[in-house]
Amino acid sequence: MPAWQAPDPARPTLPLDPLLPVQLVESRGDWGHVLCANGWSAWVDARYLVAVPQDPPLPTGDPAPADDAGPLLARAEHALAEYRAAVRELAGGLDGESFRRRTRGLRIGVVVDGESVWLYDPERGRWVYARGTRLSTYTAEGPPQQTPTPQTSTPQTPPEQAPPGHAPTRVVRPDER
């Protein structure tokens, strides 16, 4: 990200590294004065800053097998290997349509930040957060899925209805903005 010594386009400095965590300490119009995780500070175009929430809390109690990040990491590794092989074939002369067919349906999402990891679970359409092996859902695509419930369970509110005074939560894709 381009950076400046002062909120003045005539005073550029070295750009910020990709994914460098910063804290916005001052705003002046579209300018933002940021303090970087590495101790450096600079002025940036604050319109390009993305706020990220704090790490979500981890689930408590004993981890169940479904709480293990290992299977999702293995699926992500497999999807990346498939994509890498398709890119090699494309570089070797594979035509664009064959490349699109070969990669259709591959979805992967992994962000590793030290001991924390965010993984995309394409089977359940959700992002999960883990520190170590214990997972917790971070965000999900679409409404909750209906699951069969025993006859003795209490009726559930349909997913399309939000509690009074609350808007339903939804994932916004870049093409919907």
Side-chain angles (χ1 to χ4, degrees), residues 17 26 40 42 46 48 96-97 100 146 148-149 153 160 165-166 176:
D17 291 334
E26 183 182 352
W40 194 53
Y48 293 105
E97 182 56 36
R100 279 187 286 284
Q146 292 286 353
T149 55
S153 68
E160 60 273 8
H166 292 83
E176 294 177 317

Side-chain angles (χ1 to χ4, degrees), residues 11 15 17 19 25 45 49 64 86 98 101 112-113 171:
R11 298 190 57 198
D17 291 334
L19 303 177
V25 293
D45 184 341
L49 294 176
S98 296
R101 277 195 309 271
V112 177
D113 183 16
V171 175

Side-chain angles (χ1 to χ4, degrees), residues 37-129:
N38 60 10
W40 194 53
S41 67
W43 286 88
V44 297
D45 184 341
R47 297 173 296 176
Y48 293 105
L49 294 176
V50 177
V52 290
Q54 296 214 4
D55 294 345
L58 290 171
T60 57
D62 294 330
D67 292 331
D68 184 6
L72 273 181
L73 287 167
R75 281 196 292 268
E77 185 177 13
H78 176 75
L80 183 58
E82 288 287 319
Y83 189 81
R84 185 183 308 119
V87 168
R88 281 192 197 121
E89 290 178 18
L90 182 64
L94 183 70
D95 65 282
E97 182 56 36
S98 296
F99 177 75
R100 279 187 286 284
R101 277 195 309 271
R102 173 99 192 266
T103 58
R104 185 172 292 131
L106 282 179
R107 295 193 79 192
I108 183 173
V110 178
V111 176
V112 177
D113 183 16
E115 65 185 14
S116 301
V117 65
W118 288 262
L119 298 166
Y120 181 69
D121 180 354
E123 290 179 3
R124 295 186 180 149
R126 66 181 182 153
W127 279 90
V128 295
Y129 169 79

Side-chain angles (χ1 to χ4, degrees), residues 24-29 31-33 43 46:
L24 181 64
V25 293
E26 183 182 352
S27 293
R28 292 187 196 166
W31 290 98
H33 188 217
W43 286 88

Side-chain angles (χ1 to χ4, degrees), residues 150-175:
Q151 294 286 0
T152 58
S153 68
T154 57
Q156 299 292 317
T157 304
E160 60 273 8
Q161 294 179 359
H166 292 83
T169 302
R170 70 181 190 99
V171 175
V172 178
R173 300 190 194 310
D175 57 331

